[in-house]
Amino acid sequence: MAQRMPTSPRHIPFVGRESEMAELTVALDDALGGRGGLVMIAGEPGIGKPRLTEELTAIAKDRGALVAWGACYEGGSAPPYWPWTQIIRSLLTEPSEAVMSALQTRGGVIADIVPEIRDMMPDMQPPSEVDPAQARFRLFDSVTSFLNEIAISQPVILVIDDLHWADRSTLDLLEFVAREVATRPMLLIGGYRDVELSRRHPLSETLATLARVRAFQRILLRGLASDEVSRLVEAVGKMALPHELIEEIHVRTEGNPFFVAEVTRDLAREAADRGGEFDALKFRIPEGVREAVGIHLNRLSEDCNHVLRIAAVIGREFDFELLTAVSTGLSEDELLDAVEEAMATGAIREIPGVGVRYEFTHALIQQTLADEISAGRRIRLHIRIIEAIEHLYPTRLDEHVAELAHHCSEAETVVGEEKALRYIRMAGERAGAAYAWVEARGYFEQALEFMGENAAVAERAEVLFGLGKAELQTLTYPEIQRGWENVARAFDLYIELGDTDSALALAMRSWGFPTFWVHGTTPLYARALELVAPDSADAGHLRLLYGFMTRLEEQNSSEGVRAMEQALEIAERFGDGILEGRALQALMRVRTGEGDFQGAIEFGQRAVGLAIENDQPNVLSEAYWLLAYVHIVLGQSDEARRHIELLSDVKSQIGLGQSLVWLQFLIAYVRGEFLERAELAETFESGSPDDGSYQMLAGIRLWHIGENSGVGVRLKGAYRTARTSPSMHQSVANMFWIALAARLMDRPDDAAGAGEIAHSLLSLPKLNIENEVQARIVAGLAAVAIDDVQQARQQYAKLGNLTGILCAWGGMSGDRLLGLLAHTADMPKEAAAHFESALEFTGKAGYRLEAAWTCYDFAESLLDSGELAGIERAVTLIDEGLKITGELGLVGIDKRLITLQEKAKVISAPTPAYPDGLTEREVEVLRLLAAGSTNQQIADDLVIAPSTAAKHVANILGKTGSANRTEAAAYATQQSLTAKPKEAD
């Protein structure tokens, strides 16, 4: 197979780099042995990154590996994923049976970034339609599995140069492919200029992600040593130079191999011009790499320089046909002579593959040539390039829109608004079609900037819709709202034009955005419903969208559910299996949120059947997700795991991102498997850096295992979202994790803060059942934290249906919450019954962390009672809890249990016999009461809750037959209980 590798007379001899080569060779050996690797080679321009990689890949090919190269280019002239497109094209140039076999089931998806696959496989079926985020995952997974399957038959070495110029989508795909490289016979090598990176550079973020890959290593290249410079000079120039000149070259070039080679070639030419002699003292070393390149180019003919300058404006890569069309004043023969002259001196090289294509051997050569052209001449060249592309490829302009958009941007003052907008829009649409949403967003933003006041309304609507879709896929909360606002603006413009067809198409195509992160969508769907016949199939799809969002945004459960049920009726009437599956999925989510778990399971099972029948992987994944979640809530671990496995199978088709990770982490959380699932936890936390609820749960995990949880920062972010989010779902989710963290970490003020937000929501005129329950759970936890008896009783009465399940997104068992509320409300029998139920539930489900916390809360409530039987039971519970935490390595709760254990020892220690059955704690309270202390003062002195102090006072009055506190004080004096007995010597 022809390999796209740098080969030319300009090829710099390989000198030095022994230690770096040794590292790479070890990585190659590992890859050939089935243990893949990921190597990033960093250094300044000209330092020899590609040359080092060439040396390794030559060895790899000799040892039977398959090698493919790709490169990123500056300036935005290449389409998204360009280096991956180059790599795949290279593999398809002379494809082996293994390559074609790997492509067979994935070609329809990969063709989104390598269109010629459609010509190779004209009979292939297009992939099924899925949501945008899932389609992007499917593309990434298809490329990854394609490469992995090839690697099974033949080890694969993939090289991507100049990653500092990579688009965001290229980097995202690199991260995706890298996840599995450690277990494959594959070596990924990337090169980048470290001097180009800043903290905010996209590659910096990617490098941080790649550094977590087990097989990752970084090689930093610096200048050659003096003796290595001497060897390189001798190899390039075929001559020996005086030591003093070698030292000067070393100092001036800082050992940069490209610079050294350019200086040496110049020396060699000067010596040749002088018949083999040269004056070392008079030779001037160039001031920098660009000057050295300029000296080299000056030795080429003027025709050659003219052609190269045109090529430099075309881009790092260029084809002969386009170069011919743009070049004027030269015949084809003269043009070929110029190209061959440039190749002979190594300024450019030919790219193997379809057509006659070339590229500059180094970016520094292209940059030097482009910088020599005046701004006015460069603009005219861009215009000629645009016209030439339009002339050469009139039926294939979509394949060249990235180039056209780039050249239009560079010549914006001349090219004209209409043409520039056309190509920039086309580039945005093509990027969106390849799920390169960041790049699509950039194109549409640029298109908006180009638009003047007189731009056509329809065109503005198209651009706004494209921009909005891209923003909905790329922005995070709260900026993501901007995406929906642009979609809504586009809808309004279509209505203004009277273009109801486009308005309806927009509304119908908006399915699949992150619904829980945006607000204000229902007016659009309500207006769209006015444009269709009430009982039409289109009305069914719009009613479903309207119903789901009105329940979510307007908190109008009755209207929302009614609209969704109407959508289901329309689907059944028209036999629309796709709409029926979506409607069942939406209604299943409603049933889940409202606690009708059996109804949710029935809807889910129906949705699964329809999704399989109608090839709806997105509906199937949502149904499996909800079924797994419901079984987790019900404590049915085996069923939950089964559905998670089914969900993982769907992942291979569409991808699920954090949704699958959430379920896996939730089970790990309630089971307390924090240490053995550390990698899962890292994925969980890093996957949603802007989601306060995810970050709070991740912090709770860190606290449990005794690591720095950074809870202060996490709480700040969660509070901000809970207080300011227009999305009710976001508010209640963040409130719960704040309240739970506060309960676990003994932060009553934070629990009270979450409680205040919860009460503000509960005072709203409308609140759907799901959000009301979550808000009441938060209010209940706050009541427990601040010992608010009245609130505890009120929320206990409202939350009675939480028995036998996990509540609030699986954060705790409903019976444990009810036990805490009952204990705070001075209902000891009810509290004990709920805690016993919680222990039974968690034991059957295998939720060991939740069992340990139930042991803690139950034991604490029993110790507060002071009853002997309760104390004995508390000691047993503490021992059970410590056994669990010890086995799981949970430091946070372990410390709390040990503190409780010490308290139990003190309470259960032998005490003097007191009259009328008074306990040691009651006598302590009686002494303070006799001294005139209020309940609050008693609570402060004994470090107990005021309600607990009040309970002890009531018990004392009953046992002593006292009618009031005065009589109780008199009783204390009569029984000599007003002072502690002196300890015996």
Side-chain angles (χ1 to χ4, degrees):
M1 178 184 297
Q3 300 299 328
R4 185 173 177 278
M5 292 179 59
T7 55
S8 74
R10 193 180 193 80
H11 208 124
I12 299 173
F14 189 66
V15 172
R17 308 300 189 200
E18 285 81 4
S19 61
E20 294 90 345
M21 195 64 202
E23 288 184 65
L24 281 172
T25 303
V26 169
L28 175 62
D29 290 340
D30 287 344
L32 296 177
R35 301 181 305 279
L38 172 62
V39 182
M40 291 288 116
I41 305 175
E44 66 181 19
I47 203 66
K49 300 180 291 293
R51 185 66 188 87
L52 179 64
T53 308
E54 288 174 50
E55 197 70 16
L56 181 80
T57 52
I59 297 171
K61 287 204 299 179
D62 288 343
R63 297 176 61 181
L66 190 60
V67 177
W69 288 66
C72 309
Y73 297 147
E74 185 180 21
S77 60
Y81 308 109
W82 182 244
W84 293 105
T85 301
Q86 291 174 304
I87 284 171
I88 295 169
R89 281 176 175 170
S90 175
L91 295 171
L92 297 177
T93 302
E94 297 175 11
S96 63
E97 289 185 13
V99 169
M100 292 308 298
S101 174
L103 188 66
Q104 200 63 40
T105 57
R106 306 172 182 96
V109 176
I110 299 176
D112 286 333
I113 62 172
V114 188
E116 53 265 42
I117 290 176
R118 296 189 180 97
D119 296 329
M120 296 175 61
M121 306 171 66
D123 297 329
M124 68 181 180
Q125 295 297 313
S128 57
E129 184 179 353
V130 294
D131 291 340
Q134 296 170 333
R136 178 180 167 91
F137 175 93
R138 182 171 61 186
L139 171 64
F140 284 18
D141 188 67
S142 295
V143 172
T144 303
S145 56
F146 168 69
L147 296 171
N148 286 342
E149 186 172 329
I150 295 170
I152 292 172
S153 62
Q154 184 178 7
V156 173
I157 314 298
L158 305 178
V159 183
I160 301 181
D161 284 336
D162 294 324
L163 278 168
H164 50 279
W165 287 327
D167 56 86
R168 180 69 260 177
S169 296
T170 287
L171 296 176
D172 289 344
L173 182 49
L174 173 62
E175 292 176 25
F176 196 97
V177 173
R179 292 175 188 173
E180 300 180 20
V181 71
T183 59
R184 302 288 190 273
M186 183 186 299
L187 181 61
L188 277 175
I189 304 174
Y192 67 94
R193 298 179 184 175
D194 53 346
V195 295
E196 300 274 351
L197 301 194
S198 63
R199 185 168 56 87
R200 297 185 181 276
H201 193 288
L203 181 57
S204 297
E205 181 182 337
T206 291
L207 289 172
T209 300
L210 294 178
R212 293 193 286 267
V213 175
R214 186 177 56 190
F216 175 85
Q217 66 182 110
R218 190 171 83 117
I219 296 176
L220 182 60
L221 297 186
R222 291 296 181 238
L224 299 175
S226 178
D227 63 317
E228 294 170 333
V229 168
S230 178
R231 287 157 50 198
L232 181 56
V233 167
E234 187 172 350
V236 172
K238 309 300 181 186
M239 59 185 176
L241 297 180
H243 176 73
E244 294 78 7
L245 184 54
I246 290 292
E247 284 301 313
E248 186 177 355
I249 292 173
H250 178 241
V251 171
R252 295 284 293 277
T253 64
E254 296 182 340
N256 182 297
F258 183 83
F259 197 176
V260 172
E262 288 298 322
V263 170
T264 303
R265 289 191 179 100
D266 196 31
L267 274 167
R269 290 188 197 99
E270 185 167 321
D273 292 343
R274 294 172 177 267
E277 300 291 335
F278 67 90
D279 189 341
L281 296 177
K282 291 184 179 179
F283 179 77
R284 188 182 74 81
I285 297 176
E287 291 298 323
V289 176
R290 287 185 182 249
E291 185 183 348
V293 172
I295 291 171
H296 166 72
L297 293 172
N298 288 341
R299 294 182 179 273
L300 300 176
S301 68
E302 182 50 41
D303 282 352
C304 185
N305 270 281
H306 173 69
V307 170
L308 288 179
R309 281 192 286 268
I310 294 172
V313 176
I314 292 174
R316 179 75 182 274
E317 274 191 30
F318 56 94
D319 66 53
F320 186 77
E321 190 176 23
L322 179 58
L323 182 65
T324 303
V326 177
S327 301
T328 57
L330 293 175
S331 67
E332 184 172 293
D333 285 342
E334 290 171 325
L335 192 60
L336 284 170
D337 288 341
V339 168
E340 289 171 357
E341 181 184 352
M343 288 182 64
T345 60
I348 63 174
R349 58 176 164 247
E350 192 170 4
I351 301 173
V354 180
V356 182
R357 293 185 64 80
Y358 305 91
E359 74 171 348
F360 288 94
T361 54
H362 203 287
L364 290 169
I365 299 174
Q366 182 205 2
Q367 292 165 355
T368 301
L369 286 159
D371 289 346
E372 292 177 352
I373 307 173
S374 67
R377 187 178 295 275
R378 192 182 300 119
I379 288 174
R380 286 194 292 274
L381 269 175
H382 285 299
I383 296 294
R384 280 160 51 191
I385 293 167
I386 293 168
E387 292 170 348
I389 292 174
E390 290 173 330
H391 175 72
L392 290 171
Y393 315 114
T395 60
R396 294 164 44 207
L397 287 181
D398 61 320
E399 297 177 19
H400 297 270
V401 289
E403 300 163 66
L404 288 164
H406 165 71
H407 294 298
C408 284
S409 299
E410 293 297 313
E412 61 178 295
T413 57
V414 178
V415 73
E417 177 186 303
E418 183 179 349
K419 180 174 289 191
L421 274 174
R422 178 192 175 200
Y423 290 132
I424 293 170
R425 272 184 53 200
M426 286 176 65
E429 290 161 2
R430 186 169 176 83
Y435 324 112
W437 297 111
V438 170
E439 290 70 37
R441 191 177 89 204
Y443 283 124
F444 286 119
E445 286 173 344
Q446 189 179 7
L448 275 182
E449 291 175 6
F450 266 90
M451 281 185 169
E453 292 298 322
N454 298 322
V457 175
E459 190 168 42
R460 186 177 294 276
E462 282 295 322
V463 170
L464 284 170
F465 184 40
L467 176 59
K469 286 192 299 180
E471 288 173 329
L472 286 170
Q473 298 301 325
T474 56
L475 298 179
T476 55
Y477 179 85
E479 286 78 13
I480 192 173
Q481 180 63 25
R482 189 167 74 237
W484 178 259
E485 289 168 359
N486 280 324
V487 169
R489 286 169 63 196
F491 180 85
D492 290 341
L493 288 175
Y494 284 131
I495 296 295
E496 178 186 322
L497 284 170
D499 186 354
T500 56
D501 289 343
S502 294
L504 281 173
L506 179 152
M508 301 281 281
R509 286 156 57 197
S510 63
W511 182 273
F513 62 88
T515 52
F516 293 108
W517 291 84
V518 298
H519 61 92
T521 68
T522 49
L524 186 153
Y525 296 126
R527 292 179 67 189
L529 277 167
E530 296 172 0
L531 304 176
V532 297
D535 294 326
S536 65
D538 285 348
H541 288 273
L542 289 170
R543 283 184 189 281
L544 179 58
L545 286 163
Y546 171 78
F548 187 86
M549 296 309 295
T550 198
R551 178 179 177 276
L552 189 67
E553 295 178 354
E554 308 297 329
Q555 300 299 299
N556 193 332
S557 288
S558 58
E559 183 176 350
V561 171
R562 182 167 58 251
M564 286 185 268
E565 289 174 342
Q566 288 171 343
L568 181 60
E569 291 172 6
I570 291 172
E572 292 171 340
R573 189 184 322 135
F574 280 90
D576 188 339
I578 292 176
L579 175 59
E580 186 177 356
R582 284 180 172 174
L584 287 168
Q585 166 205 313
L587 287 166
M588 180 189 184
R589 183 173 284 278
V590 173
R591 296 288 185 270
T592 302
E594 295 181 351
D596 179 6
F597 299 116
Q598 190 54 47
I601 290 172
E602 291 173 4
F603 275 129
Q605 290 171 340
R606 288 174 60 191
V608 165
L610 281 165
I612 293 173
E613 180 183 336
N614 293 285
D615 190 21
Q616 287 178 281
N618 51 336
V619 172
L620 186 62
S621 68
E622 180 72 7
Y624 280 150
W625 192 97
L626 286 167
L627 284 167
Y629 174 73
V630 167
H631 288 301
I632 291 172
V633 167
L634 295 175
Q636 298 166 353
S637 299
D638 291 341
E639 274 299 293
R641 287 197 188 92
R642 184 173 74 85
H643 282 95
I644 288 176
E645 288 175 6
L646 291 169
L647 187 62
S648 297
D649 291 340
V650 180
K651 173 185 173 182
S652 63
Q653 300 179 53
I654 60 172
L656 300 163
Q658 286 294 95
S659 59
L660 176 59
V661 176
W662 169 268
L663 287 175
Q664 294 168 329
F665 188 82
L666 181 58
I667 284 190
Y669 175 81
V670 291
R671 294 176 64 86
E673 297 169 346
F674 290 147
L675 294 176
E676 60 189 87
R677 303 301 303 274
E679 187 175 326
L680 171 65
E682 187 175 298
T683 302
F684 174 82
E685 181 173 10
S686 63
S688 298
D690 299 307
D691 189 317
S693 57
Y694 273 65
Q695 293 304 305
M696 284 302 305
L697 184 49
I700 289 170
R701 167 195 168 264
L702 291 170
W703 178 84
H704 272 102
I705 61 177
E707 294 185 10
N708 180 14
S709 64
V711 68
V713 174
R714 295 174 192 270
L715 282 167
K716 184 177 179 180
Y719 267 124
R720 182 171 57 251
T721 302
R723 289 186 174 122
T724 64
S725 176
S727 165
M728 189 69 68
H729 175 83
Q730 288 294 319
S731 290
V732 295
N734 280 271
M735 281 191 308
F736 169 72
W737 295 111
I738 291 170
L740 181 63
R743 167 65 189 163
L744 303 181
M745 302 177 194
D746 196 20
R747 300 172 66 106
D749 289 345
D750 287 313
E756 289 175 7
I757 302 172
H759 285 297
S760 69
L761 295 183
L762 290 169
S763 67
L764 294 173
K766 284 193 297 186
L767 202 61
N768 70 42
I769 296 172
E770 179 180 1
N771 289 330
E772 180 186 347
V773 169
Q774 306 300 352
R776 291 195 179 283
I777 289 170
V778 174
L781 284 171
V784 171
I786 62 176
D787 201 42
D788 187 330
V789 176
Q790 183 178 355
Q791 264 301 310
R793 287 176 179 168
Q794 182 178 340
Q795 301 310 330
Y796 178 83
K798 295 285 187 179
L799 296 172
N801 63 343
L802 296 183
T803 57
I805 62 170
L806 289 179
C807 67
W809 299 286
M812 65 188 302
S813 74
D815 275 301
R816 177 160 73 94
L817 174 64
L818 292 169
L820 287 168
L821 290 170
H823 172 63
T824 304
D826 194 21
M827 301 160 59
K829 290 183 180 179
E830 290 86 348
H834 283 302
F835 284 131
E836 293 288 5
S837 295
L839 287 173
E840 181 180 0
F841 171 77
T842 56
K844 287 181 179 178
Y847 297 163
R848 304 186 72 201
L849 174 63
E850 183 58 22
W853 274 109
T854 304
C855 287
Y856 176 87
D857 288 332
F858 194 1
E860 188 177 46
S861 71
L862 292 171
L863 292 178
D864 282 347
S865 72
E867 300 295 334
L868 180 60
I871 294 170
E872 292 175 351
R873 176 76 167 116
V875 170
T876 302
L877 288 166
I878 292 169
D879 289 341
E880 290 177 12
L882 286 170
K883 181 181 179 183
I884 294 171
T885 59
E887 291 173 352
L888 296 176
L890 304 180
V891 177
I893 182 175
D894 196 73
K895 290 179 179 178
R896 298 283 298 273
L897 283 163
I898 290 172
T899 301
L900 202 61
Q901 190 178 54
E902 295 300 320
K903 180 179 178 180
K905 288 178 181 177
V906 172
I907 294 174
S908 60
T911 59
Y914 294 110
D916 297 315
L918 292 172
T919 66
E920 176 72 22
R921 176 49 64 98
E922 287 168 348
V923 170
E924 289 178 334
V925 172
L926 180 58
R927 291 189 184 111
L928 292 170
L929 182 153
S933 296
T934 64
N935 285 357
Q936 182 63 57
Q937 291 169 329
I938 292 170
D940 292 342
D941 284 348
L942 298 181
V943 195
I944 59 177
S947 60
T948 303
K951 294 175 193 174
H952 286 312
V953 170
N955 289 339
I956 289 168
L957 295 178
K959 288 182 178 181
T960 62
S962 302
N964 50 48
R965 298 170 79 94
T966 302
E967 290 184 10
Y971 175 90
T973 302
Q974 293 168 4
Q975 297 293 333
S976 301
L977 298 177
T978 53
K980 289 185 178 181
K982 292 184 179 180
E983 294 183 2
D985 294 336

